[in-house]
Amino acid sequence: MPKFVRYSLIVIVLIIAGLLVAPFFIDVNTYKTQIEQTVEDSTGRKLSIGNINASLFPWIGIELDNVHLANREGFTDRDFLSVQKLNVKLALLPLLSKNIEIKNFEINEPKIYLERQENGESNWGDLVSAQTASTESGDNEPADKQTDAAPALAALQAESLSLTGGEVVWVDGKAEPVTLADLNVGLTDVQLERPVAVKLSGKLSGNAFELDANVGPLGDLSKLDPVALPIQGHVKADNIQLAPFKALISGWPEQLGDINSASVGLNANIEQRPDGIRLGEGSVVLNSRIGLAVNWKIEMSKADQLKVSRAGLIVNGKDILEVKGSVKNLSANPAFQLRIDSQPLTRSWLAEFVPDLNSMYAGHPSAWKQIEIGTLVAGDAKQLEIRDMQLKLDNELVQVSGAVVYGVPDIRLRIAARDLHMDPWLPQGKEEPQGQTPAAGAGGGAQQASAAEPDLRFLKPWRVTAKMQAATLFLRGMEMRNFNVSINGSNGRFDLNPLSFKLSGGNVKEKASLDASVYPAKWKESVHITDVKVGPLLKALADMDMLEGTLSMDTSFRATGLTEAGVKTLNGRGNLMLRNGKIKGIDIPDTIRKFTNPAAASAGPNETDFAQLSGSFVVKNGIANNQDLFMASPLLRVTGKGLVNLVSKTLDYHVEPRVVGTLIGQGDSSPVRKGLTVPLHITGPFASPKVRPEISAKTLIQNAPALLNKGKMGGALGNILGGKKGAQAAPADQPASQPEQPVTPEKKILKGLGGMIPGF
């Protein structure tokens, strides 16, 4: 053997022997105090190390036991950081060529305690500020050392890196602590040329979770791009209780029940490819009073672009919504385009989550049954654009398009429908029995709330531009064809201009405005009606069945308040013309006939036909005053005046019908009563008005020419006027000497009629 080789082997043996025996002669614990003091000088916190062990061959190893770093002064008296055991073993020979080959890197039972006080101070803030100050002062590693670090990491290899039994405790003010316990992290076969297996598991406030993934290969670390780093993994957390996090959750909905009994489950697959494409698929489940689940499948072809292949919402096991689309510019100004489709949702099913739906429609004879929506929406952080919304209301299609600007808000909508029945969607609660007052907090609360005057001042900053068209709109018994309405609003004022539709053979045009900037809200409107059959209109608007005929009308009203109480503030004026109709509940010819022939029976229905009825009116504080009523029919000419109280829904009206034809066929035996005028007083509620003649001596005298004829009534009246009949002798008990009072013709008439018209 050559001497060179022999001497080389001897040197190597001596070095190995020295490395093996050195730890027995060098006590590394002598450096423990120096290490502890250096850390305390740098952080202001006490560091204690239980024991240090070292080895030099075949591995360079160091082992630290019972390491404790104290908490920041002024915080809880417990360790900020503690490690039961830290063990690092490095291969010796690769270090000679500046390669780091780790046999094992092991951390046992590390515990970290993170605390933030109510004033915002944290127990790690001083460490961060110290590091920042060191960086700002230029106290950094030299550039050549930073450069040398890259080749060393490039040759990094490790059989295993592990953390076992870890614990992280997070305390935020007075909130309940959140604990991440039983934390285990394992990396196997760590190198740069093949994928690295990563396993992570633990318990978050007692709830287990786990992650299995393959990361890499890492390749050239100097060219490492995290966005293109290959990753495949699976995350699973079956049951994470929300109670420990309730202080961090604001606005927890009451419908979801008690947050202390709620939990979340997560199951997801994630993938990132070398070309930057990222994929995700999985589901999140909320277990609460209402079971909610969201499942998704997404793809990110670029760092700032997201494609939603599927996102579905499931409520109590029922599929509700499905969303598809894309989101761009995630890092700057996100913009989205999404297709949203719902399943048919029934009112009975929705009432499980919105119980008020039951009371709102409890008294409705035929309330709506289901709703369904499908829409394409697009927008960004500033606005939402509705490009095509298909809204099915009980299988009636409503199409909506427009946009909503969030900040103002500014709403622009166009709504179109073919046939649309609105009555099923108008709330109608259950009526309480008459005389029964609902107890406070009981079922009557909904009625009281519905009668309360709404405060609309929140609408003041809104801007609204809306148009609606419907081929036929059905509302409160009205069939409105060619329905069109435009609404424009800003600064609390909303104008309806115009509203137009065809109704009962005629046309209706309306202009209206609402001032929502004050409370109560104020409104005004003007209506122009031509050739509309008035019966269905009055039934729909005021639940009145008093008139029939063809109506033309112009009105202008204003009032304060939107509830029935606001009728007291109603003011305005109008005029109307009715043709070829009838007044129901009032039979003027029958009243006249009974005046002339009290014994006659009623001849027909309780109504009065007319060819024309016209008049104008002024409304003041809910009371309409008319002074120029005129009605014409082949038999009668009627004039009238009086009051219509819209607050109490009662009449106080005086009419004077004058006979211009014959009552033959109306139950009268006299061929002609021309000129006969019988004033009538109409009083009482709209539903059942009462009519009585206003008879006085003056009335009878004025009607004497019409009453004086060859019939029985005329003869009697003639005898009275002539003094031949109807005069009676003085009673026997009346003194004969009493002077006789003069009798006027009026008194003679009244006295004579007293025995001839029953009840007069």
Side-chain angles (χ1 to χ4, degrees):
M1 179 181 296
K3 292 183 179 180
F4 173 76
V5 176
R6 187 170 60 249
Y7 292 147
S8 297
L9 291 175
I10 294 173
V11 171
I12 292 173
V13 171
L14 291 175
I15 293 174
I16 293 174
L19 293 175
L20 290 173
V21 301
F24 296 98
F25 295 96
I26 301 174
D27 186 5
V28 293
N29 284 283
T30 57
Y31 299 98
K32 183 173 65 173
T33 303
Q34 183 178 350
I35 295 172
E36 293 173 342
Q37 188 61 48
T38 301
V39 171
E40 186 172 355
D41 293 341
S42 300
T43 65
R45 306 187 185 202
K46 183 178 180 180
L47 174 70
S48 65
I49 302 175
N51 190 39
I52 301 178
N53 295 314
S55 63
L56 298 177
F57 190 83
W59 311 100
I60 294 180
I62 185 168
E63 182 178 304
L64 304 180
D65 295 330
N66 294 323
V67 180
H68 299 269
L69 179 64
N71 206 0
R72 184 179 181 182
E73 187 175 351
F75 287 79
T76 304
D77 186 17
R78 60 176 294 174
D79 291 338
F80 171 73
L81 170 67
S82 66
V83 178
Q84 182 66 29
K85 182 178 181 181
L86 172 63
N87 187 8
V88 181
K89 293 181 179 180
L90 303 177
L92 174 61
L93 295 180
L95 286 177
L96 301 178
S97 57
K98 298 184 177 180
N99 293 330
I100 301 176
E101 182 177 328
I102 302 175
K103 176 65 174 177
N104 296 108
F105 185 97
E106 181 183 353
I107 303 177
N108 291 337
E109 299 185 20
K111 295 182 179 181
I112 302 176
Y113 181 79
L114 303 176
E115 181 181 1
R116 183 170 61 187
Q117 297 177 339
E118 293 182 346
N119 60 8
E121 287 290 327
S122 65
N123 66 342
W124 67 88
D126 58 330
L127 301 178
V128 176
S129 60
Q131 177 64 31
T132 302
S134 175
T135 302
E136 292 176 351
S137 66
D139 193 13
N140 299 326
E141 291 185 3
D144 58 342
K145 290 189 177 182
Q146 294 182 14
T147 304
D148 291 342
L153 290 176
L156 175 65
Q157 294 185 52
E159 289 186 12
S160 66
L161 305 176
S162 64
L163 181 152
T164 58
E167 180 182 273
V168 179
V169 179
W170 162 254
V171 179
D172 190 3
K174 294 182 179 179
E176 186 176 347
V178 176
T179 303
L180 176 59
D182 295 338
L183 181 61
N184 298 294
V185 181
L187 282 71
T188 306
D189 189 20
V190 180
Q191 33 66 49
L192 306 180
E193 303 301 326
R194 297 182 302 277
V196 177
V198 179
K199 287 185 177 292
L200 171 66
S201 64
K203 291 183 178 179
L204 185 58
S205 293
N207 307 293
F209 67 92
E210 60 184 41
L211 166 67
D212 288 334
N214 290 314
V215 181
L218 301 176
D220 188 349
L221 294 180
S222 63
K223 299 179 180 180
L224 180 64
D225 183 2
V227 174
L229 179 64
I231 299 175
Q232 284 185 324
H234 177 75
V235 182
K236 183 178 180 182
D238 290 331
N239 192 29
I240 299 179
Q241 299 295 322
L242 295 182
F245 310 99
K246 60 184 179 182
L248 307 175
I249 301 174
S250 60
W252 178 260
E254 181 180 351
Q255 292 83 351
L256 296 180
D258 187 0
I259 192 174
N260 292 309
S261 59
S263 64
V264 170
L266 171 65
N267 196 325
N269 294 313
I270 56 175
E271 181 180 355
Q272 180 170 277
R273 298 175 179 174
D275 56 7
I277 294 179
R278 278 163 281 182
L279 306 174
E281 182 176 12
S283 63
V284 175
V285 178
L286 173 63
N287 301 303
S288 63
R289 178 187 295 171
I290 300 175
L292 300 176
V294 176
N295 57 63
W296 72 89
K297 184 176 182 180
I298 60 175
E299 175 183 334
M300 296 184 66
S301 58
K302 297 181 180 179
D304 61 348
Q305 294 186 8
L306 173 67
K307 178 182 177 182
V308 181
S309 300
R310 183 192 74 250
L313 173 64
I314 302 171
V315 179
N316 285 353
K318 178 181 177 63
D319 289 329
I320 301 300
L321 288 175
E322 184 174 81
V323 180
K324 298 179 180 180
S326 61
V327 183
K328 299 180 180 180
N329 303 322
L330 290 171
S331 59
N333 181 26
F336 58 87
Q337 180 172 312
L338 301 172
R339 177 72 199 178
I340 304 173
D341 293 290
S342 80
Q343 297 296 319
L345 305 177
T346 64
R347 178 172 53 85
S348 59
W349 184 83
L350 289 170
E352 297 178 17
F353 315 105
V354 187
D356 287 346
L357 283 175
N358 287 326
S359 58
M360 287 172 62
Y361 295 94
H364 205 296
S366 181
W368 63 277
K369 294 179 175 59
Q370 70 177 28
I371 185 173
E372 183 178 353
I373 186 173
T375 182
L376 177 64
V377 297
D380 52 27
K382 296 181 180 179
Q383 70 173 15
L384 170 69
E385 181 180 351
I386 304 171
R387 294 184 176 174
D388 179 25
M389 177 182 289
Q390 307 283 327
L391 184 63
K392 286 186 179 180
L393 307 177
D394 278 345
N395 296 320
E396 291 183 332
L397 181 62
V398 179
Q399 296 176 299
V400 183
S401 61
V404 178
V405 179
Y406 307 135
V408 178
D410 185 354
I411 302 173
R412 301 184 293 275
L413 294 175
R414 295 183 67 90
I415 305 171
R418 185 172 180 81
D419 295 333
L420 183 59
H421 290 77
M422 293 302 300
D423 289 334
W425 301 87
L426 300 178
Q428 184 174 331
K430 185 177 180 180
E431 294 184 1
E432 293 292 338
Q434 292 185 356
Q436 179 176 342
T437 302
Q447 288 189 339
Q448 294 176 358
S450 64
E453 182 66 41
D455 188 350
L456 303 180
R457 287 176 290 183
F458 72 91
L459 295 173
K460 187 173 182 179
W462 288 35
R463 292 201 295 264
V464 176
T465 303
K467 292 185 178 181
M468 179 178 176
Q469 295 177 319
T472 308
L473 184 70
F474 300 88
L475 177 64
R476 296 185 181 236
M478 296 185 294
E479 185 175 326
M480 296 176 280
R481 299 187 178 275
N482 296 338
F483 182 89
N484 287 272
V485 62
S486 296
I487 301 175
N488 295 279
S490 62
N491 299 318
R493 178 186 172 92
F494 297 87
D495 295 317
L496 185 151
N497 185 13
L499 165 66
S500 64
F501 53 89
K502 294 183 180 298
L503 177 66
S504 298
N507 297 289
V508 178
K509 291 186 178 180
E510 179 180 359
K511 295 181 180 180
S513 65
L514 173 69
D515 185 0
S517 64
V518 295
Y519 179 81
K522 298 180 179 180
W523 62 269
K524 61 181 181 180
E525 69 169 351
S526 60
V527 180
H528 178 66
I529 299 175
T530 56
D531 301 328
V532 171
K533 291 181 175 58
V534 71
L537 181 63
L538 288 178
K539 183 66 176 176
L541 297 180
D543 197 23
M544 294 172 56
D545 189 19
M546 291 185 61
L547 285 175
E548 286 187 9
T550 301
L551 171 69
S552 295
M553 182 174 69
D554 287 286
T555 62
S556 178
F557 294 121
R558 66 184 184 278
T560 299
L562 302 178
T563 63
E564 190 173 349
V567 176
K568 297 179 181 179
T569 68
L570 183 67
N571 291 275
R573 61 181 62 248
N575 60 77
L576 61 86
M577 171 71 75
L578 275 167
R579 293 184 175 88
N580 302 322
K582 64 178 65 175
I583 302 174
K584 296 182 178 181
I586 303 173
D587 189 348
I588 296 177
D590 186 62
T591 303
I592 297 174
R593 178 177 52 77
K594 287 185 177 180
F595 175 72
T596 61
N597 187 4
S602 297
N606 189 26
E607 58 189 29
T608 301
D609 295 330
F610 60 83
Q612 175 185 323
L613 189 154
S614 63
S616 62
F617 54 88
V618 175
V619 180
K620 185 175 182 181
N621 297 330
I623 300 176
N625 188 337
N626 164 245
Q627 297 294 318
D628 60 354
L629 177 71
F630 174 76
M631 187 183 77
S633 72
L635 175 65
L636 302 170
R637 297 292 184 270
V638 180
T639 59
K641 60 182 178 179
L643 304 177
V644 179
N645 193 322
L646 301 174
V647 179
S648 61
K649 296 183 179 180
T650 57
L651 296 166
D652 184 5
Y653 215 81
H654 300 270
V655 297
E656 292 190 359
R658 181 168 61 90
V659 179
V660 296
T662 176
L663 290 173
I664 295 295
Q666 299 287 332
D668 193 7
S669 60
S670 176
V672 176
R673 296 293 186 187
K674 289 185 178 180
L676 179 64
T677 301
V678 180
L680 304 175
H681 191 191
I682 305 173
T683 59
F686 292 167
S688 57
K690 297 184 180 299
V691 183
R692 63 181 181 87
E694 293 186 302
I695 302 174
S696 65
K698 181 179 178 181
T699 302
L700 295 174
I701 292 173
Q702 290 175 344
N703 286 284
L707 294 171
L708 290 170
N709 54 57
K710 296 180 180 181
K712 178 181 178 181
M713 184 67 176
L717 185 58
N719 291 336
I720 293 171
L721 294 174
K724 298 178 182 180
K725 187 175 182 179
Q728 300 179 9
D733 57 351
Q734 182 177 346
S737 61
Q738 183 176 357
E740 189 174 317
Q741 298 294 328
V743 180
T744 64
E746 291 88 347
K747 288 184 178 180
K748 287 183 179 181
I749 294 172
L750 294 174
K751 187 174 181 181
L753 288 175
M756 302 171 64
I757 303 178
F760 180 73

